């Protein structure tokens, strides 16, 4: 079986393998919920005690660099990092997920656009680990805020 990103939403451009894998499917579901800015849908992809690190380490979203734990922490991250964005575009250039494992690593970009037309592009590696139920137990995004901010562009 193969996955079809178009089945999830039109904000995902996928260039990696599409072999069915539970972590890859969870990542697609996560991207779709974020692109719709649907917190309730997004939480259904995460285990109640999941850990989200986006980015890994200290950042403007997580000053201590310990990540966001559980649905309450993930909801707070959503309000700070996702809700203010007008729209998202996900480009996955490659995806690595060994058969029989519960983890995938996606390499790509996220383009975030603001209501005034300005935007940034984040180059990153996103690592998803799921439990036996297919829910995300860990999401670790490796990116550098300074590099993202260097891509800030005002509307034409």
């Amino acid at each position: 079986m193969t996955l079809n990103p178009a089945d999830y939403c039109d904000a995902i451009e996928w260039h990696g393998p599409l072999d069915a894998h539970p972590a890859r499917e969870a990542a697609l579901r996560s991207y779709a919920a974020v692109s719709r800015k649907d917190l309730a849908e997004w939480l259904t992809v995460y285990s109640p005690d999941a850990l989200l690190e986006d980015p890994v380490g200290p950042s403007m979203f997580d000053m201590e660099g310990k990540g966001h734990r559980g649905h309450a922490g993930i909801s707070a991250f959503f309000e700070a990092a996702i809700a203010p964005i007008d729209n998202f575009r996900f480009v996955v250039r490659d995806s690595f997920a060994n058969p029989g494992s519960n983890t995938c690593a996606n390499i790509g970009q996220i383009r975030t656009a603001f209501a005034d037309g300005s935007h940034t592009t984040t180059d990153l590696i996103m690592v998803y680990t799921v439990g036996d139920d297919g829910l995300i137990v860990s999401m670790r995004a490796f990116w550098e805020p300074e590099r993202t901010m260097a891509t800030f562009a005002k509307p034409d």
Side-chain angles (χ1 to χ4, degrees):
M1 182 177 137
T2 60
L3 301 171
N4 181 0
D7 290 344
Y8 296 87
C9 76
D10 61 1
I12 304 168
E13 183 180 325
W14 193 278
H15 301 283
L18 287 167
D19 301 342
H21 187 280
R24 197 173 276 149
E25 182 176 358
L28 284 164
R29 290 179 53 218
S30 177
Y31 302 153
V34 167
S35 73
R36 289 191 276 275
K37 295 176 48 173
D38 187 332
L39 173 59
E41 179 185 352
W42 199 44
L43 291 176
T44 69
V45 182
Y46 282 87
S47 168
D49 63 343
L51 178 63
L52 181 141
E53 297 173 85
D54 189 355
V56 171
S59 74
M60 65 283 228
F61 304 122
D62 178 14
M63 299 306 255
E64 294 181 16
K66 295 181 179 179
H68 308 275
R69 172 74 67 182
H71 283 184
I74 292 168
S75 295
F77 172 81
F78 184 97
E79 293 304 324
I82 295 171
I85 305 301
D86 189 58
N87 67 70
F88 293 86
R89 177 90 184 145
F90 296 88
V91 178
V92 175
R93 291 195 182 103
D94 211 345
S95 179
F96 298 89
N98 287 334
S101 73
N102 65 344
T103 302
C104 80
N106 297 332
I107 300 170
Q109 290 183 325
I110 301 174
R111 185 177 188 272
T112 54
F114 301 91
D116 68 357
S118 62
H119 59 87
T120 61
T121 300
T122 302
D123 291 304
L124 73 170
I125 299 169
M126 300 159 282
V127 179
Y128 292 86
T129 303
V130 298
D132 291 338
D133 56 6
L135 296 179
I136 298 169
V137 296
S138 171
M139 196 292 275
R140 304 183 81 211
F142 294 86
W143 59 279
E144 297 172 10
E146 296 78 19
R147 287 173 63 175
T148 294
M149 295 313 296
T151 71
F152 180 82
K154 295 183 179 183
D156 297 331

